[in-house]
Amino acid sequence: MRRKSAGKKIMAVLIAASLMLTPAELTVAAEMETEGAEATFLAEESGDAASSDQEDTAETEAEIADGSAATEEQETTDTDKPDTGNNVQENAETGVMEPGEEAPEGTAEEEDPETPEAAMDAAEALEECEQEEENAAFDDGTKDAVQASAEYSDGKFTWVLDGNGTLTITGNNMELTKNEISESALEKAGIDFSRVNKLVIGNGITGFDRWGMWNLKKYIKELEIHGNAGMNMPEQCFYDVPNIESVVISGAVDVPRDMFGKCAGLKKVTLKNGVQSIGERAFEKCSSLESVIFENTVLEKISDGAFWGCSALSSIALPDSVTEIEKYAFFETGLRNIQLPEKLTLIGAYAFCNCKNLKQVQLPSQLKELGNGAFSSCENLAQIQLPAQLNKLGTDAFRNCTSLDKIDIPAGLTQIEPDTFCNTGLTSVTLHEGLTKIEDGAFHDCLKLKKIRIPKSVTDIGGLALGIRYNRGNGAEEVIPGGFTVEGYTGSAAERYVKRLHQCENLYHVFFTDVKFVSIGGQTAAVTNISKTKISALKTRAFTGKPLTQALTITYGGKKLVNGRDYTLTWKNNKNIGTASVTIKGKGKYNGSVTKKFRITVQKNAVYTVSRLKYKISSADTSGKGTVVFTGATDKAARKALTIPTTVKIGGKSFRVTAIGTSAMSGAKKLTTVKIGANIMTVGAKAFYGCSKLSNVTIFGTKLTTAKTGANAFKGIRSNCRFKVPASRVSAYKKLLRAKGAGPKIIVTK
């Protein structure tokens, strides 16, 4: 069979080369050679042909020669006459077709090449011959070698594809645009999209384009991003990509909103080495997500809807740095276990709503606020302990938690919001002094709760808050079957609540006669409202980046009250610039509450660090807004890329960055790329002095002048450094930069 294949290939090549035949002519020639080779093979099988390798070789050479001769003869005699193939039969000895010759005995009878079937067979044979050549090339390891593994660099980016299908892209502190990762760009690099199953965005990439991933992302199963401070990762970049199974993101980056939403095949996410934030709905409805790992991140919050609908996510351990879980963060997940960090202070609205597999949660001691519906409809949640520091429990927080057996309301809570524990499995509720209000429906439809004791500090109980159920048969509000007992003080809100129920009838004329009041003692002497006490004034405080409190002196009748015994303090909005407050709530002999406010401001010349860049306040108005000077970086010695922004947020307020300070980046030996924001009007002396590797600078503003640029500001940078500036300032900036040390060889373009 090897000889047959070789004969077909050689003959086809010779015919095509020597005669330059038309496709129809080439088909006939291939057909002739095919028939001759088949006859030779059959003759060998019957013992008529030579058996040694030498004879095989000789016969093959004869076939080539005879085929060539036949071709030459045909060219000479049939130039002007079309070849019909009539009466052509096979010569078994030579493989040459001659008129009137019979096929040898014992060989298969050949079809007339004039028939359509024979012509088709010949065409197929030729195609098979070509395919065998391609396969042979592939088998030899020469076909698509550059696609199986490749490396290419254009000076800005380097593409490396290994034999395992991992494509690694690194850069020279450049943003990866859609043109740089397009199909044509990868083809130029010798890379076939279909071979890529893992994408690694490596070092030196400052960002990438959302649409640039469009063609590639449908192939990748693994994604690895090595981020850096200020890296631009677009929203929705990998949204609804079904094939991605694993994501690893590292570095000081922000995972943007919707980045991996609806990635149905995503199973594992690893965030590590400085990841700063997770955007809204970043992993929303990743229905196969089973594992989320945090390693050395600096996350402070889990954003709105970050893991909404991740139904396969059964367990997660949040990093210690997290202080806030925002609304809907884990809505309708499959969580069975969750490890909450001790520093957590806020769980937002509906954060764990509809987590039906969740059985037990350990709330951290510093938690201060549970938002509306935070754990609503967690049907299997059986145990939860509210921390002593909790001062806000939102509406519907535990609504429909039908397995919840008991609850202890901490003393720090002043009121229970509407429907907070509606339709739960509670059998025991503990309320403490300091509670002042129980809102409408707070314990409505708690069918297993038969008794509750109300503290004397409670002054208001909303309609249908206690001991009432909704009869789903007739739509009426009724007393819980078996009756309900309220224990309280004579003359208190508890007694008034029961009397009101006895005097009330609902739409179905059902009186609440089974609600009983049991006195546990008479009302004590009048309690003093905390608002009538004397409270020392609060002072304006300077922003530090940390929560700010103040020492208070509270007296009544010349007697100093004691914090914790006579009152409690709750601070709010006391971290960022603006108006902060403290709520003073009476305790024991004192009731009611009062709120005092104070301001948090910034001071001129104060220095703050934001994302490892340092800024000094140059001006600030009463609202906290103003201007700052960029004074350097905490990682100056190691930094390779720098972006000086147009504005920076300090303490929640936006400041314009208008100047670069003296020697701000002087001696930054590794710095290669700088972007200077549009608000910069002043550059201090030696600002970039001695930045010997600085080769690319972009200046977005138009207000720089020679007078406002210090001496030697750019001295010691690379002699051929390329500056990109606004079109209107090319000439002026070229003079300015050269005058300030950049040198005569720099390139300044628009």
Side-chain angles (χ1 to χ4, degrees):
M1 293 298 290
R2 190 179 298 119
R3 183 186 300 115
K4 175 183 175 180
S5 181
K8 287 190 285 185
K9 289 186 284 185
I10 294 170
M11 198 61 202
V13 171
L14 289 174
I15 292 172
S18 62
L19 300 182
M20 299 298 288
L21 300 180
T22 65
E25 293 169 333
L26 186 58
T27 298
V28 173
E31 181 181 281
M32 293 169 62
E33 175 57 24
T34 300
E35 293 171 347
E38 289 177 349
T40 301
F41 173 75
L42 291 170
E44 289 178 3
E45 292 293 311
S46 63
D48 296 334
S51 60
S52 68
D53 292 342
Q54 292 180 349
E55 291 173 336
D56 288 346
T57 304
E59 186 174 345
T60 302
E61 293 174 350
E63 290 176 1
I64 295 171
D66 290 342
S68 301
T71 303
E72 293 173 359
E73 182 181 349
Q74 182 178 356
E75 187 179 17
T76 303
T77 59
D78 298 328
T79 304
D80 301 321
K81 183 174 67 175
D83 185 359
T84 63
N86 292 339
N87 300 319
V88 179
Q89 297 181 343
E90 183 181 52
N91 184 314
E93 289 293 329
T94 63
V96 178
M97 308 303 297
E98 297 181 0
E101 199 168 324
E102 297 284 336
E105 186 178 352
T107 62
E109 186 176 346
E110 300 294 333
E111 294 183 320
D112 191 331
E114 192 176 28
T115 63
E117 292 82 359
M120 185 177 295
D121 290 344
E124 291 176 351
L126 183 60
E127 184 179 351
E128 181 185 346
C129 177
E130 294 172 349
Q131 185 62 50
E132 287 179 3
E133 290 179 342
E134 293 180 4
N135 293 340
F138 180 83
D139 293 340
D140 290 341
T142 59
K143 179 176 170 54
D144 294 341
V146 72
Q147 296 176 346
S149 60
E151 182 172 350
Y152 177 79
S153 177
D154 62 0
K156 298 186 294 184
F157 300 97
T158 299
W159 296 263
V160 178
L161 177 67
D162 67 19
N164 297 319
T166 299
L167 173 62
T168 301
I169 307 176
T170 56
N172 186 20
N173 294 309
M174 303 288 290
E175 182 164 343
L176 197 64
T177 68
K178 62 182 179 181
N179 294 327
E180 304 294 347
I181 201 168
S182 65
E183 190 167 2
S184 60
L186 292 181
E187 286 179 351
K188 185 178 179 181
I191 296 169
D192 182 357
F193 269 31
S194 64
R195 295 184 180 272
V196 179
N197 55 56
K198 180 178 181 180
L199 173 64
V200 179
I201 298 177
N203 297 324
I205 304 294
T206 60
F208 49 88
D209 183 84
R210 171 186 175 186
W211 303 110
M213 300 292 177
W214 186 258
N215 291 322
L216 183 60
K217 64 186 183 182
K218 62 184 177 182
Y219 294 106
I220 60 175
K221 292 185 177 181
E222 298 179 61
L223 175 66
E224 190 172 317
I225 299 174
H226 298 274
N228 50 74
M231 185 180 197
N232 175 32
M233 293 197 295
E235 298 176 358
Q236 298 184 326
C237 186
F238 295 92
Y239 187 84
D240 197 17
V241 178
N243 296 324
I244 292 182
E245 297 178 358
S246 172
V247 170
V248 178
I249 300 176
S250 64
V253 295
D254 300 314
V255 181
R257 61 186 295 176
D258 297 310
M259 188 173 186
F260 298 97
K262 293 187 178 181
C263 288
L266 183 59
K267 296 180 179 180
K268 183 178 181 180
V269 171
T270 302
L271 306 176
K272 61 183 183 179
N273 299 337
V275 172
Q276 299 177 133
S277 69
I278 301 174
E280 297 176 9
R281 301 180 301 278
F283 300 96
E284 177 192 7
K285 296 185 180 179
C286 293
S287 56
S288 298
L289 184 59
E290 298 174 347
S291 173
V292 179
I293 299 172
F294 301 94
E295 297 179 1
N296 300 319
T297 66
V298 293
L299 291 170
E300 292 185 358
K301 66 180 180 181
I302 307 297
S303 297
D304 296 1
F307 298 96
W308 180 332
C310 294
S311 54
L313 185 62
S314 62
S315 179
I316 192 169
L318 300 182
D320 294 337
S321 55
V322 172
T323 60
E324 295 183 8
I325 298 174
E326 295 190 339
K327 61 184 180 182
Y328 296 100
F330 296 95
F331 182 84
E332 288 187 346
T333 60
L335 284 174
R336 296 177 182 273
N337 301 289
I338 182 167
Q339 182 177 322
L340 300 176
E342 189 58 34
K343 295 181 180 179
L344 188 69
T345 60
L346 168 69
I347 296 178
Y350 305 98
F352 296 94
C353 178
N354 277 357
C355 292
K356 299 185 183 299
N357 297 326
L358 197 61
K359 294 183 178 182
Q360 186 175 354
V361 178
Q362 182 66 46
L363 298 179
S365 61
Q366 297 187 39
L367 186 70
K368 295 180 179 180
E369 182 177 342
L370 269 177
N372 296 344
F375 289 94
S376 62
S377 298
C378 292
E379 298 174 353
N380 287 297
L381 183 63
Q383 296 182 25
I384 195 159
Q385 182 176 350
L386 302 180
Q389 297 292 327
L390 192 70
N391 56 50
K392 184 176 181 180
L393 185 59
T395 300
D396 297 322
F398 294 96
R399 184 170 186 155
N400 298 328
C401 292
T402 53
S403 296
L404 189 61
D405 179 61
K406 57 184 176 181
I407 197 74
D408 188 338
I409 305 298
L413 279 175
T414 60
Q415 67 184 48
I416 301 176
E417 301 290 342
D419 300 318
T420 300
F421 297 96
C422 179
N423 192 35
T424 58
L426 288 172
T427 61
S428 173
V429 174
T430 302
L431 307 177
H432 295 275
E433 290 293 338
L435 184 70
T436 61
K437 190 174 185 179
I438 303 174
E439 294 275 14
D440 187 20
F443 296 94
H444 188 278
D445 246 348
C446 294
L447 303 183
K448 297 180 181 180
L449 185 63
K450 303 295 184 179
K451 182 174 67 175
I452 192 168
R453 175 171 288 199
I454 308 298
K456 59 178 177 284
S457 57
V458 174
T459 58
D460 188 6
I461 301 176
L464 309 179
L466 308 165
I468 308 300
R469 69 155 184 174
Y470 177 76
N471 190 320
R472 289 162 177 79
N474 60 25
E477 306 289 349
E478 299 177 350
V479 176
I480 293 174
F484 189 80
T485 300
V486 177
E487 297 179 347
Y489 291 84
T490 300
S492 68
E495 186 178 22
R496 292 194 298 272
Y497 174 78
V498 173
K499 288 181 178 179
R500 187 168 70 248
L501 290 181
H502 287 176
Q503 298 168 1
C504 178
E505 60 180 307
N506 64 12
L507 295 175
Y508 290 86
H509 306 280
V510 178
F511 289 85
F512 301 105
T513 55
D514 288 338
V515 179
K516 300 176 182 178
F517 174 75
V518 176
S519 178
I520 56 176
Q523 282 285 55
T524 59
V527 177
T528 301
N529 194 293
I530 199 72
S531 63
K532 296 181 179 182
T533 62
K534 185 179 180 180
I535 303 172
S536 62
L538 296 174
K539 300 178 181 179
T540 298
R541 299 295 301 275
F543 170 76
T544 64
K546 299 179 180 180
L548 299 173
T549 60
Q550 302 188 42
L552 289 177
T553 301
I554 304 174
T555 59
Y556 183 74
K559 181 181 178 181
K560 185 177 180 180
L561 275 59
V562 178
N563 185 11
R565 185 193 69 185
D566 301 318
Y567 63 89
T568 59
L569 301 177
T570 302
W571 302 90
K572 191 175 182 180
N573 299 326
N574 62 327
K575 181 179 179 180
N576 288 331
I577 299 166
T579 301
S581 68
V582 59
T583 298
I584 306 156
K585 184 179 118 177
K587 187 177 180 181
K589 296 180 180 180
Y590 302 88
N591 66 7
S593 64
V594 62
T595 298
K596 299 290 185 179
K597 298 180 179 180
F598 66 97
R599 292 196 58 77
I600 299 176
T601 63
V602 292
Q603 297 180 349
K604 188 176 181 179
N605 296 325
V607 178
Y608 300 98
T609 299
V610 180
S611 298
R612 295 192 291 277
L613 300 182
K614 298 187 291 185
Y615 303 91
K616 183 172 73 174
I617 305 295
S618 51
S619 69
D621 58 28
T622 56
S623 69
K625 297 181 180 180
T627 60
V628 297
V629 178
F630 168 74
T631 62
T634 59
D635 58 350
K636 182 166 76 173
R639 182 173 285 269
K640 295 181 179 180
L642 171 67
T643 297
I644 302 173
T646 56
T647 61
V648 62
K649 276 194 173 183
I650 299 175
K653 302 295 182 180
S654 181
F655 290 79
R656 292 184 299 117
V657 185
T658 60
I660 301 173
T662 299
S663 301
M665 295 301 291
S666 176
K669 300 294 186 182
K670 294 185 178 182
L671 190 65
T672 63
T673 304
V674 173
K675 295 180 181 180
I676 300 175
N679 286 332
I680 296 295
M681 297 183 288
T682 303
V683 178
K686 294 186 177 181
F688 297 97
Y689 183 87
C691 296
S692 55
K693 292 187 178 181
L694 184 57
S695 57
N696 287 280
V697 180
T698 302
I699 302 175
F700 292 98
T702 60
K703 299 179 181 179
L704 279 178
T705 64
T706 302
K708 292 184 178 181
T709 305
N712 297 322
F714 294 93
K715 189 173 182 178
I717 67 174
R718 290 194 61 168
S719 61
N720 62 343
C721 182
R722 184 178 295 272
F723 288 82
K724 188 176 180 180
V725 305
S728 62
R729 302 290 289 163
V730 171
S731 179
Y733 279 2
K734 185 182 292 185
K735 294 179 181 178
L736 182 156
L737 292 166
R738 290 176 176 176
K740 301 302 177 179
K745 296 182 180 180
I746 61 170
I747 302 168
V748 183
T749 62
K750 61 181 181 180

